[in-house]
Amino acid sequence: MASAPSIQIKPGKLFIGGKWVDAASGKTFATTNPATGETLTMLAEASEADADAAVAAARAAFTSGPWAEMAAADRAKILWKIGDLVDKYVEEIGTLETLDNGKPIFESRYVDMPMVAEVFRYFAGWATKIMGDTVPVRGPFLNYTLREPIGVVAAITPWNFPLLLASWKIAPALAAGNTVVLKPAQLTSLSALRLGEICQEAGLPDGALNILTGSGKVLGRALVTHPGVDKVAFTGSTSVGQEIARNAIDSLKHVTLELGGKSPNIVFADADLEAAVRGATIGIFYGKGEVCAAGSRLFVERSVKDAFMEKLLDRVKKMQPGDPMDPKTRFGSLVSEQQMSTVLGYIEKGQSEGAKLVAGGSRVTTLGNGKGCFVQPTVFDGVTNNMTIAREEIFGPVLATIAFDDVEDAIRQANDNPYGLAAAVWTRDIAKAHKVARRLQAGTVWVNTYNNYDPAASFGGYKKSGYGRELGAAALEHYTQLKSVWVNLA
Ligand code: NAP
Ligand code: MG
């Protein structure tokens, strides 16, 4: 494989109060490259004592000192600089992300990391525009509002878009003047640690961002239950999100949850079918399908289904996993052996419940050293909306194709799922597109496109896909609180 790392990967330390330190326990854990099974380096394994230290550093930075006293315009400059440094080091951070996660370097280098930079610059712009109102109250009073930061934010993030999803939390939190303790996923912590160095280089004051590597069960839980944490911003699975909401209730922390999905991608007979085929493949196979908004349920109107499937399968059969470090690769390695066995388990389940496997379905062991977590892009036809592969989030490259008869049938089936993260509609009928968009229970609806994101466009879930919104102006509401001030003018 061409995946010899062109960069040095250091052992990972914890970033607490501007210092790089070992875990209090001295424990470490390995992070591996899922495309080869090889250990990339060892990372410090933080636990409760380190959580205490990081929360104390974040609290101190929030309460007094350079960050607490900094003008919004100066916060903006630092955030902008972080974005520019991400651009400057894009080859290196992109490489780290690919080695750690298995996603194609094409995605890390040209999609994810450029968006990280954009997210920091977008929220840099907001820092000076977070403001209150003057309120027309009755009586001889002046009433105005102050929009203030919440305090110490614990950001807990998953492994699928490691640095990108961390930036969605860190950038708005810092723009609003909060301080942050970030816990990236154990599988993919390297890019977050590199971001810590970048923040130092950009002049972010000590303690404004702290980074702890370690397990969700110990470290994540310690942060969620910590009395010194004011808000938890979480992206991950619905079951862990539910546990976090339960664990945060005693201290009544603010909580935002970006959770799983089982997003319907609906193709009407009057759609541009070529475009819809491209959208369906990008919708499920971008990021190896380890994408919360993946279009994993493909609904195709019965009258065009055979023609559509023929075109779709032509396209899918040309897609094969490849070396993630090869710039030509568009489909990489799943993130871990555990994730691969989950995905293969769902493929078996699909067959045993009577769905028809029409593409892929197997692990690929002919790449590199044969130990990578490669699974073929997989398509099932003849799926019904009540089969397991249509109900549960697989979080892998497995597409479930379901037929529908008309608009009502499409909407009913699309909404018949516990999740509500995203959805897409393909049609040339503009009125139909808007009507269906309104009736889909999802936080994002794409019309004649799929997987578009922008730092200015809010993102988040309906139903069991969570609550709160990331990106856009909406995100700032979740990193600020409103104070109402009354002044007696009599
Ligand atoms: P996960 O198992 O829920 O883990 C997410 C993060 O939470 C990891 O950092 C994990 O630590 C930590 N964690 C685990 N248990 C915890 C606990 N009890 N208390 C506090 N933290 C805990 O999810 P994942 O497998 O990494 O990611 C896949 C899931 O994320 C999918 O369901 C996907 O849909 C969802 N996702 C959603 C979005 C969105 O925006 N809606 C985006 C991406 C992914 P470890 O390091 O120990 O794993
Ligand atoms: Mg890894």
Side-chain angles (χ1 to χ4, degrees):
M1 258 195 204
S3 53
S6 51
I7 51 166
Q8 282 268 313
I9 303 178
K10 298 178 285 197
K13 299 210 172 209
L14 309 177
F15 185 46
I16 301 177
K19 303 215 162 42
W20 293 93
V21 297
D22 292 322
S25 67
K27 282 194 192 158
T28 59
F29 65 99
T31 190
T32 57
N33 177 351
T36 62
E38 286 157 5
T39 296
L40 291 166
T41 190
M42 300 303 288
L43 304 177
E45 186 176 339
S47 56
E48 285 88 351
D50 309 290
D52 286 345
V55 171
R59 174 64 55 198
F62 181 71
T63 312
S64 62
W67 181 251
E69 287 154 21
M70 191 175 284
D74 293 329
R75 290 204 302 272
K77 276 194 208 160
I78 292 174
L79 286 175
W80 194 280
K81 183 130 191 239
I82 294 170
D84 284 353
L85 288 173
V86 169
D87 278 340
K88 178 176 167 190
Y89 299 121
V90 67
E91 300 289 343
E92 180 201 346
I93 319 171
T95 303
L96 278 178
E97 198 82 308
T98 283
L99 291 172
D100 217 3
N101 166 285
K103 63 172 65 197
I105 188 71
F106 171 79
E107 293 182 9
S108 304
R109 166 68 184 81
Y110 292 104
V111 186
D112 297 7
M113 296 309 125
M115 190 176 175
V116 171
E118 293 271 292
V119 167
F120 277 101
R121 286 189 291 257
Y122 173 79
F123 284 106
W126 269 114
T128 49
K129 294 156 200 81
I130 297 168
M131 57 184 102
D133 297 307
T134 51
V135 185
V137 292
R138 192 185 293 279
F141 300 99
L142 167 64
N143 179 282
Y144 65 93
T145 59
L146 294 172
R147 192 165 273 284
E148 298 183 331
I150 295 172
V152 175
V153 175
I156 301 179
T157 49
W159 42 256
N160 59 339
F161 292 88
L163 196 60
L164 185 58
L165 296 179
S167 76
W168 289 15
K169 297 171 170 49
I170 297 167
L174 294 180
N178 300 279
T179 57
V180 178
V181 180
L182 170 68
K183 191 211 94 64
Q186 287 179 90
L187 289 172
T188 56
S189 297
L190 292 175
S191 54
L193 296 174
R194 187 66 186 93
L195 181 72
E197 294 174 343
I198 285 173
C199 289
Q200 282 189 298
E201 187 176 340
L204 186 72
D206 293 350
L209 173 66
N210 307 273
I211 302 167
L212 300 179
T213 48
S215 82
K217 283 197 172 61
V218 175
L219 172 63
R221 198 188 150 84
L223 290 170
V224 170
T225 52
H226 202 292
V229 170
D230 302 299
K231 178 200 160 96
V232 179
F234 173 75
T235 299
S237 59
T238 295
S239 59
V240 172
Q242 287 166 325
E243 188 181 335
I244 285 177
R246 279 192 291 270
N247 287 341
I249 206 80
D250 282 343
S251 49
L252 275 183
K253 290 178 174 59
H254 298 237
V255 176
T256 43
L257 302 172
E258 296 289 348
L259 308 176
K262 192 74 191 176
S263 300
N265 193 1
I266 305 169
V267 181
F268 286 101
D270 62 4
D272 173 344
L273 293 188
E274 299 292 339
V277 163
R278 283 195 300 277
T281 35
I282 291 167
I284 183 65
F285 298 127
Y286 185 84
K288 317 159 256 166
E290 293 168 338
V291 177
C292 48
S296 50
R297 287 185 299 152
L298 174 66
F299 290 96
V300 185
E301 192 159 353
R302 209 176 295 277
S303 59
V304 294
K305 187 154 159 297
D306 290 346
F308 186 87
M309 288 311 282
E310 202 174 307
K311 290 179 202 288
L312 181 83
L313 293 179
D314 271 355
R315 201 176 166 86
V316 172
K317 284 180 177 154
K318 288 186 202 127
M319 297 182 72
Q320 282 306 318
D323 175 2
M325 284 303 294
D326 182 339
K328 292 196 287 297
T329 296
R330 294 293 179 271
F331 189 90
S333 159
L334 300 192
V335 73
S336 66
E337 289 201 3
Q338 193 189 336
Q339 187 64 15
M340 180 171 63
S341 80
T342 303
V343 169
L344 294 172
Y346 274 113
I347 293 172
E348 263 180 56
K349 186 98 181 165
Q351 289 171 290
S352 70
E353 289 185 6
K356 193 168 155 215
L357 181 65
V358 290
S362 308
R363 180 179 183 182
V364 176
T365 51
T366 49
L367 275 169
N369 64 3
K371 293 186 181 152
C373 304
F374 296 99
V375 173
Q376 295 172 311
T378 298
V379 179
F380 279 101
D381 199 353
V383 180
T384 57
N385 202 31
N386 57 359
M387 288 182 187
T388 307
I389 57 166
R391 296 214 72 76
E392 295 184 11
E393 183 181 45
I394 299 174
F395 219 54
V398 182
L399 183 63
T401 313
I402 303 167
F404 70 87
D405 293 314
D406 55 24
V407 172
E408 287 306 316
D409 187 31
I411 294 171
R412 183 186 55 75
Q413 293 201 66
N415 287 338
D416 177 15
N417 191 275
Y419 293 109
L421 191 56
V425 186
W426 299 82
T427 174
R428 287 194 171 97
D429 177 339
I430 191 166
K432 181 156 76 180
H434 288 288
K435 279 187 207 157
V436 174
R438 283 191 185 199
R439 291 182 56 197
L440 289 171
Q441 296 163 350
T444 293
V445 178
W446 288 294
V447 176
N448 294 332
T449 184
Y450 207 97
N451 264 345
N452 302 79
Y453 301 90
D454 190 284
S458 72
F459 183 78
Y462 279 28
K463 303 197 287 189
K464 283 194 172 168
S465 293
Y467 44 71
R469 289 293 176 271
E470 301 203 282
L471 303 178
L476 292 163
E477 289 179 23
H478 301 294
Y479 290 96
T480 54
Q481 51 195 346
L482 212 56
K483 181 180 282 172
S484 174
V485 182
W486 288 85
V487 183
N488 189 346
L489 302 178

